[in-house]
Amino acid sequence: MTVEEIFVGKGSKFPGLLGVVEAYIDTLDVDEGDRSQINKYLDLVRRRAIGSLQTPATWIRNFVRSHPSYNRDSVVSQEINYDLMVAVDEIERGVRRVPELLPEDYAPTDGYHSKPNSP
């Protein structure tokens, strides 16, 4: 089986891990806002599994390989590392758009991915 088949499924024989997760979520009492956010996460996983979005590892590898200071010697210099960290920070803050890595509708969060506990 391919990664795509494992995650997305293979015809009617195997629903894929995402299909199993979606079926499970359907059995829960999840409000519309939470379900929408869950669907965004599942879509991100689906798109990475089918190859329409790069994985972070692929994006980092491409960033390093295309950096002007990279000498194709497997050495990631301080300059390259610094530029990579700046790029990652800019992506997370929404300053830099990277459509090959994240969906177009990606919006940075305040660091919290769930509702705070209520008293």
Side-chain angles (χ1 to χ4, degrees):
M1 289 181 100
T2 66
V3 169
E4 179 178 354
E5 291 169 339
I6 292 168
F7 279 91
V8 180
K10 187 175 183 177
S12 60
K13 293 181 179 182
F14 180 66
L17 295 176
L18 293 173
V20 172
V21 169
E22 288 169 337
Y24 172 70
I25 292 170
D26 287 342
T27 68
L28 303 175
D29 184 25
V30 178
D31 69 48
E32 192 175 315
D34 288 343
R35 182 59 193 250
S36 176
Q37 189 62 43
I38 291 168
N39 286 342
K40 285 181 182 182
Y41 290 137
L42 294 177
D43 185 56
L44 175 68
V45 172
R46 179 178 291 106
R47 291 178 64 188
R48 293 240 168 98
I50 66 174
S52 65
L53 284 178
Q54 291 179 350
T55 64
T58 298
W59 184 83
I60 290 169
R61 187 170 33 259
N62 291 342
F63 181 94
V64 170
R65 286 180 175 168
S66 65
H67 194 280
S69 296
Y70 184 62
N71 296 319
R72 298 222 171 267
D73 57 1
S74 299
V75 175
V76 179
S77 67
Q78 282 186 315
E79 178 186 3
I80 297 169
N81 191 45
Y82 177 81
D83 291 346
L84 176 61
M85 294 302 102
V86 168
V88 169
D89 177 63
E90 289 175 350
I91 292 167
E92 182 55 30
R93 290 185 295 117
V95 174
R96 181 186 294 219
R97 303 298 289 176
V98 186
E100 65 272 16
L101 177 65
L102 293 167
E104 288 294 327
D105 64 345
Y106 171 77
T109 66
D110 60 3
Y112 297 97
H113 297 283
S114 61
K115 296 178 191 172
N117 293 334
S118 47

